[in-house]
Amino acid sequence: MRHAYVHGYDGPESVRLQDQARTLEELLHADTRYPPGSSVLEAGCGVGAQTVALAANSPGARITAVDISFASLGQARSRVAAAGLVNVCFQQGDVFALPFADASFDHAFVCFVLEHLRQPEAALAELKRVLRPGGSITAIEGDHGSAYFHPDSEAARAAIGCLVDLQRAAGGDALIGRRLYPLLADAGFEGMLVSPRMVYVDASKPELVDGFIRKTFSAMVAGVRAPAVAAGITTAERFAAGVAALHRTAAPGGTFCYTFFKATGFKATGRNA
Ligand SMILES: C[S@@+](CC[C@H](N)C(=O)[O-])C[C@H]1O[C@@H](n2cnc3c(N)ncnc32)[C@H](O)[C@@H]1O
């Protein structure tokens, strides 16, 4: 299935995506502002976790948020309305076959979606199709290979490895952050700039200890316990030990590092656009 999604669509995952977006908003969104009157496509908006930040930060831009999941779109619509934002419209659509004419948008934004796709190159090519020449793309992804922490733990690294393996088996790539530059280049974008955004957490940042270590990263790993055990790549005990070790990095004396990658690029204005 092209849109196999390793984290699922249930309630805890929706809460995790909200926690993640709130915690990371400054780090990931501070330098994304779209001019008044511009049209922006957010592909794979999910439950609207990034949509709220996008729309609030660029109140004059018209944002079209698309997702393949009708249920997620419903939640996103409610969230955006609750935030009092009126510059977003929602549409169900597949990032591999977007329901828009060529050159429909000034900007495209995609966050935590490419990592789940079997063919991220094809999705980027489709996003390029609906961008006008000279239009920009912004892609944000994590890279689970960038997670390191204290106290270090082989069990924790193995639990993270289960997530990477499951995502790979579903056709995705949990290590995609490091590939954003070549992916955009292969899709024919120009002027790419990739900016690594490191989250470093220790006890002096209690909001990140809770919002990032516990509620975002550890919650994400813990979320694949059942499929990892079912796939036979771990045991319930070993996986639980890994998650417990991740939680220990949130205790006093623990530290945690993770790097997101934010890439921007442009659709060429010339003949080969
Ligand atoms: C991890 S969620 C990220 C949601 C949101 N961008 C965020 O950062 O919170 C990935 C989203 O991609 C959507 N998705 C997966 N495959 C898709 C496809 N082929 N077309 C459109 N959306 C897709 C899923 O439904 C899911 O909502």
Side-chain angles (χ1 to χ4, degrees):
M1 189 165 78
R2 251 180 164 181
H3 60 279
Y5 177 37
V6 72
H7 305 310
Y9 287 100
D10 63 354
E13 171 59 7
S14 162
V15 172
R16 189 189 71 78
L17 287 170
Q18 290 303 319
D19 285 335
Q20 171 172 275
R22 260 194 303 276
T23 302
L24 302 175
E25 184 171 332
E26 177 67 17
L27 183 77
L28 300 182
H29 284 274
D31 53 349
T32 297
R33 297 289 183 275
Y34 297 113
S38 60
S39 56
V40 180
L41 171 65
E42 184 194 5
C45 66
V47 295
Q50 315 297 337
T51 319
V52 170
L54 278 181
N57 290 339
S58 299
R62 298 185 312 278
I63 294 164
T64 302
V66 168
D67 201 280
I68 203 159
S69 160
F70 194 72
S72 295
L73 282 172
Q75 292 185 54
R77 196 176 277 114
S78 307
R79 189 151 279 126
V80 163
L85 297 161
V86 294
N87 56 333
V88 186
C89 67
F90 292 94
Q91 192 163 336
Q92 188 173 23
D94 184 346
V95 71
F96 293 105
L98 290 164
F100 307 110
D102 294 359
S104 297
F105 295 94
D106 298 311
H107 306 283
F109 178 93
V110 60
C111 181
F112 306 143
V113 175
L114 300 174
E115 61 169 319
H116 297 294
L117 304 179
R118 205 173 282 281
Q119 296 170 292
E121 307 84 352
L124 287 168
E126 178 66 353
L127 287 168
K128 187 163 140 269
R129 180 187 69 76
V130 301
L131 270 180
R132 66 160 167 82
S136 81
I137 184 163
T138 299
I140 300 175
E141 294 291 343
D143 187 319
H144 297 350
S146 73
Y148 52 96
F149 34 80
H150 175 79
D152 194 11
S153 154
E154 197 275 320
R157 282 187 266 118
I160 296 167
C162 288
L163 175 49
V164 173
D165 289 349
L166 287 173
Q167 204 158 322
R168 187 179 299 119
D173 181 3
L175 311 178
I176 201 169
R178 69 190 74 177
R179 289 174 59 210
L180 283 183
Y181 189 99
L183 282 170
L184 288 178
D186 288 350
F189 286 98
E190 296 187 341
M192 282 84 68
L193 195 63
V194 176
S195 142
R197 311 261 161 129
M198 189 208 249
V199 185
Y200 165 73
V201 190
D202 62 28
S204 70
K205 300 166 183 159
E207 71 291 345
L208 282 177
V209 168
D210 194 50
F212 189 74
I213 302 182
R214 292 200 188 98
K215 291 183 175 159
T216 298
F217 196 82
S218 303
M220 175 178 66
V221 174
V224 301
R225 186 187 70 84
V229 173
I233 57 176
T234 187
T235 62
E237 296 70 27
R238 185 161 162 68
F239 194 82
V243 172
L246 283 176
H247 279 281
R248 274 199 295 283
T249 71
T255 66
F256 198 98
C257 293
Y258 186 90
T259 303
F260 293 92
F261 293 81
K262 180 170 184 174
T264 53
F266 296 88
K267 178 169 172 172
T269 50
R271 276 169 174 223
N272 56 351

